[in-house]
Amino acid sequence: MIGLSQVKKAYNQGRANEFWALRGVDLHLERGRVTVFRGPSGSGKTTLLTMVGCLARPSSGRVSLEGRDISALPERFLTEIRRSTFGFVFQSFNLLKGITALENVMVPAYPLGGDHGALKRRALELLDRLHMADKAHSNAEWLSGGEAQRVAIARALVNDPRIVIADEPTANLDSERSAQFLDIVAQLKAEGRTVLMTSHDPLVAEAPVVDRVVSLRDGLIAGGG
Amino acid sequence: MSTRRASDWVLGGLVLGVAALVATLVVSSSWVATDRPAAKRRAELVARLGLTDLALFTEARYTRHPSQADRHAAFQDHPFAFEHFPSGSVLPPRRMP
Amino acid sequence: MSNWFGRQRALMDFAVSSLARRKGKTLGLLAVYTVVVFVLASAMLFSHALRREAALVLAGTPEVLVQRLVAGRHDLIPASHLQAIRAIRGVKSAEGRLWGYLFDPAAAANYTLMVPADDAPAPGQAVIGSGVAQVREAAIGDIMSFRAHDGQLVSFTIAGIVDPQSALVAADLFLVSETDYRRLFGIAADRFTDIVVTVRNPREVRTVAEKIDAALPDTRIILRDEIKRTYESVFDWREGMVLLLLAGAVLAFFIFAWEKASGLSAEEKREIGILKAVGWETGDVIALKSLEGVLVSLTAFLLGYLAAWLHVFQWGAPLFEPVLKGWSVLYPDFRLAPHVDELQVATLFFFTVFPYTLANVVPIWRAATIDPDQVMR
């Protein structure tokens, strides 16, 4: 479903502080699986996810999604693909402050201009499924870490993506909350979604729901590829 | 979903504001029409008495009748005299043909 | 189409909640902006209505006025000039006018003393403007006395008050008979203040004026066109003290607005990054910020304009009164008829809404093209 061939990514290319985050990655990821990318910080696992999730383009190499080469598409098309295919749960959740949890969940769907009432119902349903219905009208900055994460998950799901990408999802959670998160991942998998996560948390890598663990080191695949 | 959307209030407010703006234009033109007889009386008074100016600034003779004042009226006390009356700064100096 | 509208509505929802998040900043900006629009619109509405009124009312002002100048000052004109003017070809009539200023120590006000050409009050009587009646609290039948040039008292019985609706042109008038006028100031019977000339053919006004000027070199000629032009340029020239003072405020506001709108805070940059990461296009972000700008500036324009209209036409422009009044005691109590120029309103709209919206969007343009993967780093 997702294929990477000889993907390289440089930051600050051509300048003194040039840094190669990925140095040639070949990988194939299958539909409906849960994959964890593991590795020390700076190993390139987050960069890899930004390539796959159409947040950035590789410096060289090719990324294909469902058989289509997406590494050379202009930004407009990347945004379109990102919006319809991917849902993101960021490490620091990145909720918008000052607006309610419900509005945060609805934000990704605003530019689509669909029926507002239907969108609101869908967002409330998602929050309800994640046991957040009673916090729907709380402002985002009043939520605890676990609550903020569940709002972020609901936001990732509002456009009904086929692939969910989570960057260090358990970094800010205690063991109990982490276990709850893995339950949600299991639900997503049961719905047929593909889940990609980065993590250094052994709890995540060793969870039964995870199908595959890919290790990275210094911008190269070190195991599980 | 009984609660109103934020944009409902804002759009409603803007529509109301634009309606009020249009209303000022409509009211203005009907007011001008109502005032026409009084304006006509004013014009007749001006013609009958041979008036030349608006009685807006009565503080100095060259501001009461700017059209009748000569160019240097404001400075005739002394060539370097500063403008003395506040309304003098709102009125243009008389243009010499 | 309905999808386009749905998108705008959704973006507007979000724009409103974004503005509500920065409530203090938004309301403060809106208040300052509204005040600026209000003062600008007030000055604009007031001066336009006044100019229109002046043009309407002064249409009947004398066609040609002849003044005598002595050493650069206006001086009394001798009756012999009347004969000289009447002899000029094209002149229909020439009449001497008697008018001047009278300082009333009791009210510390200046009146315009005038002898009407016809229907003048009988000797010992006066017809006064509504402003005079007001400052002296005078009614018909009251007696007002003034010291004449020789120190003797001259008394007038108030025989009538000029219609208050004509206050804009007649508030300070004090109409008397020719006898009383000459008695008050000690002006000889063969002297006038100036001369009103009517011309047979209106198209020959300039030619006749030139002939008078050639025949009487000690005179100055004032044409009706020049009088009208005086009022077309009132407030235009220097745009008056109000606008002069306002220029500073307007500049300060634009610097403030530019600073506010163009200086993106780290928080706003983070928000744009999040929006892009969750699937917003650059165009969506720009549309959102334009909507924010339009909402603020359009609201300010509507509130400011409406308040200005009420201020100028409903409440008689009380904020401008001190400027117009200056040090004068007597100020006409008038309501301007609301001559509104739609083009001016449109101009005001353009200059209030567009620059601000643009100032809101330009910096976003730069920020919105940042790679969305920033939020992951």
Side-chain angles (χ1 to χ4, degrees):
Chain A
M1 180 192 200
I2 300 167
L4 290 87
S5 70
Q6 277 306 303
V7 168
K8 295 181 184 176
K9 176 72 178 178
Y11 291 109
N12 306 317
Q13 200 168 10
R15 276 186 270 161
N17 55 350
E18 183 176 286
F19 168 69
W20 287 88
L22 291 177
R23 303 155 178 272
V25 172
D26 292 295
L27 193 66
H28 185 79
L29 298 166
E30 278 157 25
R31 184 192 300 272
R33 299 289 189 88
V34 176
T35 307
V36 172
F37 295 90
R38 197 166 59 171
S41 54
S43 60
K45 52 192 193 305
T46 299
T47 306
L48 185 68
L49 285 192
T50 63
M51 302 289 125
V52 172
C54 300
L55 283 168
R57 274 184 294 231
S59 303
S60 72
R62 282 172 37 182
V63 180
S64 66
L65 175 70
E66 289 159 347
R68 185 176 174 201
D69 184 0
I70 57 170
S71 41
L73 289 177
E75 198 213 301
R76 256 172 60 80
F77 293 97
L78 283 182
T79 307
E80 188 54 47
I81 292 169
R82 185 160 76 237
R83 184 148 70 193
S84 58
T85 315
F86 295 97
F88 293 91
V89 181
F90 303 104
Q91 182 175 359
S92 46
F93 315 132
N94 279 337
L95 296 182
L96 295 169
K97 288 174 195 151
I99 58 174
T100 61
L102 179 63
E103 275 183 281
N104 261 295
V105 175
M106 289 161 72
V107 158
Y110 279 154
L112 301 173
D115 178 55
H116 188 264
L119 170 62
K120 198 166 176 180
R121 276 192 297 278
R122 195 162 78 233
L124 279 170
E125 265 170 37
L126 281 169
L127 286 171
D128 190 41
R129 255 181 58 194
L130 297 166
H131 310 293
M132 284 292 293
D134 52 333
K135 299 274 183 172
H137 295 285
S138 306
N139 272 9
E141 66 270 26
W142 302 339
L143 301 174
S144 70
E147 288 167 345
Q149 187 182 51
R150 277 179 283 166
V151 173
I153 295 170
R155 180 175 69 182
L157 296 176
V158 76
N159 281 343
D160 196 22
R162 294 192 291 284
I163 304 168
V164 176
I165 290 178
D167 189 21
E168 298 287 355
T170 58
N172 297 313
L173 302 183
D174 58 28
S175 302
E176 193 191 337
R177 301 270 174 219
S178 300
Q180 280 175 0
F181 171 75
L182 288 168
D183 286 346
I184 296 168
V185 171
Q187 281 177 37
L188 298 179
K189 187 181 171 185
E191 288 163 13
R193 298 185 211 272
T194 310
V195 180
L196 309 175
M197 294 185 272
T198 65
S199 183
H200 355 18
D201 188 349
L203 199 71
V204 173
E206 287 154 21
V209 70
V210 173
D211 298 303
R212 183 173 169 195
V213 176
V214 177
S215 301
L216 283 120
R217 184 167 284 274
D218 301 328
L220 290 168
I221 290 181
Chain B
M1 306 299 135
S2 60
T3 48
R4 304 247 97 201
R5 293 170 64 178
S7 58
D8 288 339
W9 293 107
V10 171
L11 282 174
L14 289 180
V15 166
L16 216 67
V18 171
L21 185 142
V22 172
T24 64
L25 299 180
V26 173
V27 169
S28 294
S29 65
S30 80
W31 184 339
V32 167
T34 324
D35 184 62
R36 206 157 285 148
K40 208 174 157 217
R41 279 201 301 279
R42 281 193 287 275
E44 279 164 8
L45 185 76
V46 165
R48 188 165 66 83
L49 296 177
L51 302 177
T52 51
D53 289 272
L54 302 183
L56 271 179
F57 319 104
T58 60
E59 55 188 352
R61 61 196 159 79
Y62 62 90
T63 59
R64 169 63 181 92
H65 290 102
S67 71
Q68 305 297 300
D70 50 88
R71 190 186 254 291
H72 308 291
F75 306 104
Q76 69 180 15
D77 292 333
H78 190 276
F80 294 126
F82 285 116
E83 170 58 343
H84 190 57
F85 292 100
S87 55
S89 64
V90 187
L91 287 164
R94 220 185 78 82
R95 248 176 265 163
M96 292 293 146
Chain C
M1 193 62 201
S2 70
N3 196 45
W4 180 87
F5 189 68
R7 175 171 172 266
Q8 301 304 317
R9 282 285 299 277
L11 288 179
M12 191 180 287
D13 278 331
F14 191 65
V16 172
S17 73
S18 299
L19 290 172
R21 259 184 294 166
R22 308 184 291 265
K23 204 172 277 161
K25 213 170 168 185
T26 306
L27 286 181
L29 186 78
L30 192 64
V32 179
Y33 207 162
T34 303
V35 168
V36 170
V37 175
F38 165 77
V39 179
L40 268 174
S42 290
M44 202 187 78
L45 290 172
F46 185 82
S47 55
H48 179 75
L50 193 67
R51 278 182 225 144
R52 282 299 305 276
E53 178 72 27
L56 278 176
V57 165
L58 296 178
T61 207
E63 242 174 344
V64 182
L65 279 165
V66 182
Q67 277 183 2
R68 183 172 179 232
L69 288 183
V70 172
R73 291 187 191 221
H74 177 207
D75 201 45
L76 296 174
I77 198 161
S80 58
H81 278 40
L82 273 175
Q83 306 306 323
I85 293 170
R86 281 180 189 141
I88 289 168
R89 188 199 284 270
V91 170
K92 193 165 135 200
S93 70
E95 297 298 333
R97 285 204 311 172
L98 289 169
W99 64 277
Y101 303 99
L102 179 68
F103 180 71
D104 180 3
N110 280 312
Y111 305 149
T112 298
L113 202 76
M114 192 167 226
V115 179
D118 39 50
D119 279 343
Q125 292 195 337
V127 172
I128 58 175
S130 52
V132 178
Q134 203 186 5
V135 294
R136 285 291 298 255
E137 292 174 4
I140 292 173
D142 286 359
I143 291 175
M144 283 169 76
S145 304
F146 299 98
R147 287 170 87 82
H149 72 287
D150 54 5
Q152 291 190 334
L153 273 187
V154 180
S155 296
F156 296 97
T157 310
I158 308 303
I161 295 171
V162 183
D163 176 16
Q165 285 196 307
S166 300
L168 188 58
V169 285
D172 67 336
L173 288 190
F174 199 96
L175 305 176
V176 296
S177 67
E178 182 172 347
T179 328
D180 287 333
Y181 179 89
R182 293 193 190 279
R183 167 87 193 80
L184 258 179
F185 300 121
I187 293 175
D190 64 343
R191 290 277 193 268
F192 295 99
T193 311
D194 50 22
I195 294 173
V196 181
V197 179
T198 52
V199 175
R200 241 176 260 286
N201 182 353
R203 274 181 299 183
E204 283 179 11
V205 168
R206 291 217 163 262
T207 331
V208 171
E210 278 163 24
K211 283 183 193 166
I212 297 174
D213 191 46
L216 304 167
D218 63 340
T219 59
R220 177 169 85 101
I221 293 151
I222 302 164
L223 302 180
R224 183 192 284 164
D225 284 353
E226 293 165 31
I227 295 177
K228 284 202 214 153
R229 244 188 292 142
T230 305
Y231 284 92
E232 274 160 21
S233 55
V234 170
F235 308 114
D236 260 359
W237 181 74
R238 271 205 238 165
E239 279 289 15
M241 283 207 302
V242 194
L243 294 190
L244 209 69
L245 289 175
L246 194 66
V250 169
L251 266 178
F253 173 73
F254 276 112
I255 293 166
F256 168 66
W258 183 263
E259 155 82 19
K260 186 257 142 206
S262 60
L264 273 188
S265 64
E267 180 64 24
E268 280 174 295
K269 273 187 192 147
R270 195 183 81 100
E271 277 178 26
I272 292 169
I274 295 172
L275 291 176
K276 293 202 75 178
V278 300
W280 285 43
E281 283 175 26
T282 306
D284 297 325
V285 176
I286 288 169
L288 171 75
K289 290 290 162 181
S290 317
L291 269 174
E292 279 182 22
V294 167
L295 284 181
V296 169
S297 53
L298 190 59
T299 308
F301 165 74
L302 287 171
L303 288 178
Y305 167 78
L306 292 172
W309 191 87
L310 289 173
H311 165 237
V312 170
F313 298 122
Q314 201 65 43
W315 300 317
L319 290 181
F320 293 152
E321 210 176 290
V323 179
L324 296 177
K325 208 169 168 180
W327 299 342
S328 48
V329 170
L330 200 154
Y331 182 70
D333 181 19
F334 63 97
R335 282 281 174 285
L336 277 174
H339 298 279
V340 178
D341 183 356
E342 288 83 0
L343 189 69
Q344 265 192 342
V345 177
T347 311
L348 185 73
F349 166 79
F350 188 85
F351 280 103
T352 47
V353 173
F354 282 82
Y356 181 76
T357 305
L358 213 65
N360 220 24
V361 169
V362 167
I364 305 295
W365 189 284
R366 276 183 277 139
T369 50
I370 291 173
D371 276 341
D373 67 331
Q374 296 252 345
V375 286
M376 296 273 272
R377 291 181 204 164

